Amino acid sequence: MHVNDVLDDSRVGTLVNVRGWVYRSRESGQLIFLVIRDSTNIVQVVVEKGAVTPEEFEMAKKSNIETSIEVEGKVSKEQKAVTGYEIHATKVKVYQFAENFPITKDKSDEFLLDIRHLWLRSREMTAIMKMRETVLDSIRDFMRERGYHEVQPPMFVGGMVEGGSTLFEVPYFGEKAYLTQSSQFYLEAFMYSLESVYTISPSFRAEKSRTRRHLTEYSHYEAEAAWVGNQQMMDLEEEMIIAIAQSLLSSNKGELEIVKRDLKKIKSVEKPFYRYRYEKVIEIGRQKGLQLDDVTDLGEKEERVITEDFDKPIFVYNFPTELKPFYHRPDPADPSHVMNHDVLAPEGYGEIIGGGERIWSKDELISRMRNDNLNPEDYQWYVDLRSFGSVPHSGFGLGVDRLLTWLAGLDHINKVVPFPRTIRRLKP
RNA sequence: GCCGCUGUAGCUUAGUUGGUAGAGCACCCGGCUGUUAACCGGGAGGUCAUCGGUCCGAGCCCGAUCAGCGGCGCCA
């Protein structure tokens, strides 16, 4: 039986059996309190001398934190117990006495990263992993409902997607392969058959970034759809983010409480999100005291200042063409701007999505590449897609870890990833 | 890659103008029948990141190296 099943009025007075790990232990003479943790919750167990055999009492006494244990006993309601109920033990079985657990009440973020394989057991990490699962589930539910197909692009790639300096190089039978930075080009290939596609896959960036929102390996949720324009794609993303926020609220109240998230901040994520042209956002930044040129990419600091006072996400659309990669489609009515968008999360969190309409004319794509000093030969198969029945299409890429960092109200992206990979951390 | 900061017990840390390294938690022993990361008494635990220098004397001053953290740039 799981701990959560015990925490119920209908169990009071009955005999139950739970297995798990010792979360806290305290003794007071002839009385031992063991708080047992399993994947569902925690519950207090009281071991009284005389209620179990002398051997069992000794075992309970020796059970330090993380000892794996099985307990049988009678349930009672008890206000003084952490989760409102407690088990009065009649049988105690220890599977393994734990060595001294290194995690105590005083711990630094750095130490927790060093022993992440153990910190994974904490209530915080357990809560975050459950919320992560909800986010992924609700992405899949939402996309399936909209007729999108989930696909699996390759992680080993032969060419560059966005400039060589940020690629991880791996030896590949005498050749050089790279770990993918984005599956966008592959999704565009899938689009010609399945029309609306998405993937949730890792992406790898060898950027030497040292910020609270960068990882070298992250979960990238990307989508691509035929016949869809920039504004329509924004509509989809808006509804999707709301759907994710709603499912967190309905499935993970307890978990949000454990990470101390103010539920009001998630409840306020509803239609309509703010939608501003790029120039308008530059103006907002200036009003908040930032020194910004007319055409400038927004860094982490700028996004933080700009989004600080907002209560829901902000779309920033139609960036100056010169700021964006070649594949973004220039607005036919104003070629100095592309038909793209970013989504900035509120409360200072900043960019979580980049997306927009792709160039679908072969000639236009080649001329934009030349403009950026890229050789179309290097992108041969990508260009080739435009030779056989090209169609208007749009897509986006969302950083799943950034999204969760914001929704859970955490201060660092490495808190939402079980084993974060950063420029200075490859272990555990 | 650049700038800044930090490194003392398993963890979190104090350490005064340079003069015998101190505590809390965890751990071990003892006590306690209602504890809430309990409490009371006792104990053990230190190459002060590493290497070198200055000095009668270095945790403290100087230099180098290593590791980590924060920020910038770049990005999702």
Side-chain angles (χ1 to χ4, degrees):
Chain A
M1 185 180 293
H2 277 117
V3 167
N4 248 349
D5 301 325
V6 173
L7 307 176
D8 192 290
D9 282 353
S10 68
R11 295 289 180 189
V12 171
T14 67
L15 206 58
V16 298
N17 184 287
V18 297
R19 284 184 296 206
W21 294 264
V22 174
Y23 180 72
R24 298 279 181 268
S25 80
R26 286 175 281 271
E27 54 169 306
S28 179
Q30 311 299 297
L31 204 54
I32 300 165
F33 299 94
L34 296 175
V35 178
I36 309 271
R37 161 184 78 74
D38 74 1
S39 64
T40 64
N41 211 331
I42 57 176
V43 65
Q44 176 162 283
V45 173
V46 187
V47 185
E48 289 176 67
K49 198 167 195 172
V52 296
T53 67
E55 295 74 30
E56 287 175 320
F57 189 78
E58 276 312 300
M59 281 201 293
K61 207 169 175 175
K62 274 169 57 190
S63 298
N64 48 357
I65 289 177
E66 293 306 314
T67 287
S68 42
I69 196 169
E70 182 168 353
V71 172
E72 187 184 276
K74 218 180 206 183
V75 181
S76 68
K77 208 164 180 170
E78 178 54 75
Q79 280 199 335
K80 280 182 276 188
V82 264
T83 40
Y85 298 84
E86 64 182 15
I87 299 172
H88 292 264
T90 50
K91 278 185 193 161
V92 175
K93 178 181 174 187
V94 167
Y95 286 85
Q96 192 212 20
F97 290 108
E99 293 178 23
N100 294 338
F101 200 59
I103 302 174
T104 62
K105 67 173 178 178
D106 297 311
K107 51 204 187 304
S108 58
D109 285 349
E110 185 190 335
F111 180 63
L112 295 182
L113 285 166
D114 287 340
I115 43 119
R116 183 54 76 102
H117 56 298
L118 301 175
W119 179 239
L120 216 48
R121 307 173 178 201
S122 66
R123 294 191 91 200
E124 278 128 290
M125 279 307 290
T126 306
I128 290 166
M129 289 305 109
K130 287 177 183 172
M131 290 192 281
R132 198 181 170 87
E133 187 183 14
T134 300
V135 168
L136 294 175
D137 279 354
S138 74
I139 288 172
R140 292 198 163 99
D141 289 347
F142 180 87
M143 293 303 265
R144 195 179 303 117
E145 216 170 86
R146 302 294 161 126
Y148 277 71
H149 298 278
E150 184 169 11
V151 297
Q152 288 78 43
M155 300 293 104
F156 280 132
V157 296
M160 38 189 76
V161 184
E162 302 189 5
S165 64
T166 63
L167 283 166
F168 281 106
E169 198 177 295
V170 278
Y172 198 80
F173 306 112
E175 281 188 76
K176 282 179 190 167
Y178 304 96
L179 298 178
T180 185
Q181 300 175 297
S182 162
S183 299
Q184 180 194 323
F185 292 179
Y186 291 92
L187 293 186
E188 288 185 62
F190 277 112
M191 179 202 80
Y192 288 87
S193 63
L194 295 168
E195 296 192 39
S196 303
V197 295
Y198 75 101
T199 188
I200 303 170
S201 312
S203 280
F204 305 90
R205 304 272 166 109
E207 289 152 8
K208 295 180 174 170
S209 304
R210 300 181 40 74
T211 77
R212 65 187 60 200
R213 58 176 193 172
H214 279 84
L215 297 166
T216 53
E217 174 182 353
Y218 66 97
S219 288
H220 208 176
Y221 158 38
E222 295 172 278
E224 209 64 41
W227 321 110
V228 170
N230 194 38
Q231 295 290 329
Q232 276 174 284
M233 198 42 100
M234 287 161 64
D235 294 342
L236 179 92
E237 290 163 24
E238 180 179 73
E239 285 170 23
M240 171 193 80
I241 291 171
I242 291 167
I244 295 169
Q246 288 303 316
S247 63
L248 265 183
L249 277 176
S250 64
S251 314
N252 296 96
K253 273 225 167 65
E255 283 75 26
L256 287 163
E257 206 171 290
I258 287 172
V259 298
K260 300 187 175 72
R261 181 57 161 160
D262 182 354
L263 298 186
K264 279 188 297 233
K265 305 263 186 182
I266 303 181
K267 284 182 186 146
S268 66
V269 179
E270 52 188 18
K271 271 190 180 182
F273 291 177
Y274 304 95
R275 296 193 187 197
Y276 301 127
R277 272 188 75 97
Y278 171 84
E279 282 76 15
K280 170 73 181 169
V281 172
I282 294 294
E283 197 186 307
I284 292 173
R286 284 176 181 153
Q287 278 164 13
K288 295 192 176 184
L290 294 171
Q291 304 263 326
L292 297 171
D293 295 336
D294 284 349
V295 175
T296 180
D297 232 336
L298 301 172
E300 200 209 342
K301 183 186 160 202
E302 287 77 28
E303 289 181 5
R304 192 167 56 234
V305 171
I306 289 166
T307 63
E308 238 162 23
D309 307 325
F310 282 85
D311 56 342
K312 49 190 176 183
I314 305 133
F315 283 102
V316 186
Y317 62 90
N318 288 34
F319 279 58
T321 303
E322 59 190 282
L323 291 180
K324 289 291 168 182
F326 68 87
Y327 50 77
H328 287 284
R329 184 182 180 209
D331 186 346
D334 168 24
S336 66
H337 290 75
V338 288
M339 300 167 83
N340 82 316
H341 62 271
D342 279 3
V343 176
L344 306 183
E347 302 172 62
Y349 283 93
E351 184 173 5
I352 52 174
I353 289 182
E357 214 164 313
R358 320 303 190 189
I359 294 178
W360 58 286
S361 142
K362 185 174 178 176
D363 293 342
E364 193 179 10
L365 185 67
I366 290 174
S367 97
R368 282 283 289 125
M369 283 177 156
R370 294 233 160 87
N371 241 331
D372 279 7
N373 291 319
L374 296 169
N375 182 2
E377 302 273 301
D378 293 340
Y379 298 87
Q380 186 269 329
W381 69 261
Y382 183 64
V383 175
D384 200 38
L385 292 174
R386 271 76 180 165
S387 304
F388 306 97
S390 196
V391 293
H393 63 285
S394 296
F396 68 87
L398 176 150
V400 174
D401 315 285
R402 284 188 180 179
L403 174 73
L404 182 54
T405 306
W406 159 53
L407 288 171
L410 298 166
D411 63 351
H412 202 297
I413 196 166
N414 63 22
K415 294 194 173 161
V416 304
V417 181
F419 294 100
R421 296 292 177 247
T422 62
I423 177 171
R424 299 227 172 121
R425 193 171 287 280
L426 191 54
K427 292 176 185 173

